[in-house]
Amino acid sequence: MKRTARTAPSARSSRSSLWPRCVLPALAACLVGAALLGAPGCNGRVAPESGPDDAGVPPTPTPTPDLAPFNGTYSDFPAAPIVDTSGPATVPVNVGDLFGPAGSGDPAGGPCLLDPEVGSLFPRNWLRLRFRFTAPSPQNLFELRLHVDNQANDLLVYTASTEWTMPADLWKKLTAHSADRPITVSIRGGELAGGTIKGKPALGTTGPITIAPVSAEGTIVYWTTSGGTVLRGFKIGEETVHDVLKPAQSTSGTACIGCHSSTPDGEFVAFSQTAYGDTGDPANIGLRTVDGRATEPSFLSAAARTLLARIPQQLPTFSAGHYKTGDHVALTALLQGTRYEIAWTDLEAKDTTQGVGWGVLARDGDSNMVAAPVWSHGGQSIAYVSTKTAQSGVTVTDGDLRTVPYNDRKGGSSRPVAGASDPAYNEFYPAFSPDDGFLAFSRLPSGASSYNHASTEIFVVPAAGGTATRLAANDPPACSGQISPGVLNSWPKWAPEVQSADGRRYYWISFSSSRRASRPQLYVGAVVVEKDGTVKTYKALYLWNQPSTDGNHTAAWDVFKIVIG
């Protein structure tokens, strides 16, 4: 690719060393097309809304069958305490006597539980529970207690470590028998000296976590700083991650890959690629399988390959409504003169002529340029950021969310999304929920840059417009001393399926946050639509299978068919 001088909307610039710079101009919206339609026939799958505008009221999901009545009483928790011998010090055999019964000791001043967060909701097929906490000096011995009303015993764990992971067999029993019931977690700490606890043990974090009666489906593929700019992935519940794509597996000369999304069938990952490893700009679009062989689709024509190679071009997005033989279409943000526009590309094109192999969607009523377009799953609507200026089709300071119809490649009237188009805020990075009923987005005060801003937070709003709901997952544990705004929560993407149970609809959103040592890491928050239609959100779940020393972010959560092995 030839380096070209460009005007302000797409100018190159240096970036913070917090992330490798090769994808940063487009990083913040790398995944706007990632939450695409899942495979047909999946249990609990919700079909996209159909009709002239598929950003309406979500359809009723197919219920997920109950796997257990969750009644009890069960004896999954052992009667005897678990004594962890892996810590930095020996735990006395009489440790239970040292701590005394529940409720004894000082009522405050104990450890701060960081993971899992009190108030979080776990998918039923999630990673087994891992408890991580900090403790005030000189506390060096800890008691972890879990209480569930349908379990005969409390789970008691004694450890000298500040981290403990539940055995897999115990987690499996707990998810089978105690889903949809509050699990009260409490943690106490004390100073072990001379074989006894000095003073009294002190109570720290206490409160409920819950296992949902449903699972979270799909595969997460994310961008990482480890070993260069690499895409890695894992299926939900896996405790390891796998390489999915490296720059060397893409077009010859590619030095960086980054912004990515899944095709609706899960066979391919589409991504921004560039020959420049400093800022990732200018970029064009690559399309490769996720099975380890990194091959292009058989239907991709030579003309379409030429069109995808145009620069600067970012943020590929697809819709199941337009992904079949004779109608394989990709949407991208394409610079036209000094303006980014929503471009469609026929991936089977026989001609590169505008209006034949590609075109630009009309956006009547909106004179601004485009950033971060994302296609609805039903294929009727595109959500995008309307802005006066956009760097690399992504970074904005004055964004508002709008939607425009696809209308058989013609576009049409653009309209603002109420609740996500307030001039007082910079609203950006939209993502459609799997049933097209909601949009997730990031938000800042107007005038603040969407790039790497610590005050960014995540909201959800009905796709047809309405009241925006702030995610509880934005907030770190209060005892950590961290506060949002201030920990950079951004890049939301939805799990590819909606599940339902007992009249409630369960959605899951992945996002990136720098709350952990100021390094971007992946988290998940639950969004539940209650029986009465109210929207309830939950605290964040940390994905502890990701390497904690890497910068991991922009997680595309979809039906990627990655090869495990």
Side-chain angles (χ1 to χ4, degrees):
M1 291 181 289
K2 183 179 179 181
R3 187 185 297 260
T4 56
R6 297 193 303 282
T7 54
S10 57
R12 296 169 62 88
S13 64
S14 62
R15 294 296 187 184
S16 163
S17 61
L18 180 61
W19 292 276
R21 293 177 294 175
C22 71
V23 297
L24 289 180
L27 181 61
C30 286
L31 307 179
V32 293
L36 302 176
L37 180 65
C42 294
N43 181 39
R45 185 70 178 95
V46 179
E49 188 83 359
S50 60
D53 186 349
D54 54 10
V57 178
T60 301
T62 302
T64 299
D66 286 337
L67 302 182
F70 312 139
N71 293 323
T73 301
Y74 299 100
S75 298
D76 301 328
F77 290 161
I82 294 176
V83 178
D84 178 20
T85 60
S86 64
T90 300
V91 178
V93 294
N94 65 333
V95 62
D97 295 332
L98 298 180
F99 272 89
S104 62
D106 290 334
C112 170
L113 183 63
L114 302 176
D115 178 29
E117 294 187 35
V118 167
S120 57
L121 181 68
F122 288 81
R124 207 168 177 183
N125 59 336
W126 197 248
L127 298 161
R128 55 199 169 116
L129 288 177
R130 190 205 65 171
F131 296 87
R132 184 174 65 92
F133 51 90
T134 59
S137 180
Q139 292 178 15
N140 59 2
L141 187 63
F142 311 102
E143 176 195 80
L144 177 66
R145 181 185 295 268
L146 271 64
H147 171 80
V148 193
D149 63 4
N150 71 342
Q151 293 287 342
N153 309 302
D154 283 358
L155 177 66
L156 274 174
V157 178
Y158 293 100
T159 180
S161 175
T162 55
E163 185 174 304
W164 181 78
T165 303
M166 181 177 286
D169 61 337
L170 183 53
W171 174 240
K172 183 177 181 180
K173 293 175 183 178
L174 189 62
T175 60
H177 297 148
S178 295
D180 213 20
R181 308 182 86 92
I183 302 171
T184 301
V185 180
S186 59
I187 185 167
R188 294 193 290 170
E191 180 189 1
L192 178 67
T196 189
I197 290 181
K198 294 179 64 175
K200 299 177 181 179
L203 179 66
T205 299
T206 183
I209 61 174
T210 309
I211 301 169
V214 300
S215 297
E217 304 303 325
T219 302
I220 286 178
V221 171
Y222 67 95
W223 189 89
T224 180
T225 60
S226 176
T229 59
V230 179
L231 299 185
R232 287 182 168 172
F234 55 89
K235 294 181 179 178
I236 299 303
E238 275 195 287
E239 295 186 6
T240 56
V241 300
H242 313 271
D243 285 345
V244 174
L245 192 71
K246 298 180 179 180
Q249 294 175 290
S250 185
T251 304
S252 176
T254 294
C256 172
I257 56 176
C259 308
H260 60 288
S261 63
S262 176
T263 55
D265 57 5
E267 299 284 353
F268 304 94
V269 59
F271 50 93
S272 299
Q273 60 183 3
T274 177
Y276 305 103
D278 57 348
T279 68
D281 195 13
N284 59 22
I285 306 301
L287 190 59
R288 293 290 189 276
T289 56
V290 292
D291 58 3
R293 293 177 291 183
T295 56
E296 290 183 318
S298 59
F299 58 76
L300 186 67
S301 68
R305 190 178 295 107
T306 298
L307 293 170
L308 293 180
R310 291 175 295 174
I311 57 173
Q313 189 171 194
Q314 302 274 10
L315 312 171
T317 176
F318 303 87
S319 171
H322 297 280
Y323 193 82
K324 59 182 181 295
T325 301
D327 190 26
H328 283 111
V329 178
L331 299 182
T332 57
L334 178 68
L335 189 67
Q336 295 287 281
T338 60
R339 293 170 52 88
Y340 276 96
E341 298 287 357
I342 304 172
W344 59 265
T345 299
D346 181 352
L347 300 180
E348 302 176 58
K350 305 302 181 184
D351 193 326
T352 59
T353 303
Q354 184 171 358
V356 179
W358 74 284
V360 172
L361 295 183
R363 296 179 293 112
D364 301 336
D366 182 18
S367 60
N368 285 336
M369 71 171 66
V370 162
V374 59
W375 208 345
S376 66
H377 304 83
Q380 303 295 323
S381 180
I382 298 98
Y384 67 96
V385 181
S386 173
T387 178
K388 291 182 173 61
T389 59
Q391 182 177 339
S392 299
V394 176
T395 303
V396 300
T397 59
D398 61 346
D400 288 319
L401 299 195
R402 299 178 72 97
T403 59
V404 64
Y406 178 61
N407 191 22
D408 192 25
R409 308 182 182 183
K410 294 186 289 291
S413 297
S414 172
R415 65 182 187 186
V417 178
S421 54
D422 188 332
Y425 295 100
N426 181 14
E427 295 129 328
F428 48 97
Y429 311 159
F432 277 104
S433 63
D435 57 10
D436 292 330
F438 292 97
L439 284 168
F441 64 99
S442 299
R443 195 179 85 172
L444 280 168
S446 183
S449 173
S450 60
Y451 170 73
N452 193 29
H453 200 292
S455 295
T456 307
E457 293 192 316
I458 300 169
F459 291 74
V460 296
V461 68
T467 300
T469 300
R470 178 183 178 274
L471 294 193
N474 286 302
D475 296 315
C479 60
S480 71
Q482 295 179 303
I483 299 174
S484 184
V487 293
L488 182 56
N489 300 303
S490 198
W491 307 296
K493 298 307 300 182
W494 303 80
E497 295 186 15
V498 184
Q499 304 282 354
S500 70
D502 193 29
R504 291 172 290 177
R505 297 198 303 275
Y506 292 81
Y507 302 78
W508 309 96
I509 294 179
S510 66
F511 64 99
S512 299
S513 179
S514 293
R515 66 189 67 184
R516 183 185 172 97
S518 298
R519 181 181 297 110
Q521 294 270 279
L522 306 179
Y523 294 80
V524 166
V527 176
V528 178
V529 179
E530 300 287 347
K531 296 178 183 179
D532 62 0
T534 59
V535 176
K536 183 177 181 179
T537 70
Y538 292 80
K539 298 299 287 294
L541 303 175
Y542 175 67
L543 282 153
W544 58 258
N545 57 339
Q546 65 189 305
S548 61
T549 56
D550 294 346
N552 307 320
H553 38 105
T554 61
W557 193 347
D558 217 298
V559 293
F560 292 101
K561 297 177 182 178
I562 64 174
V563 173
I564 308 299

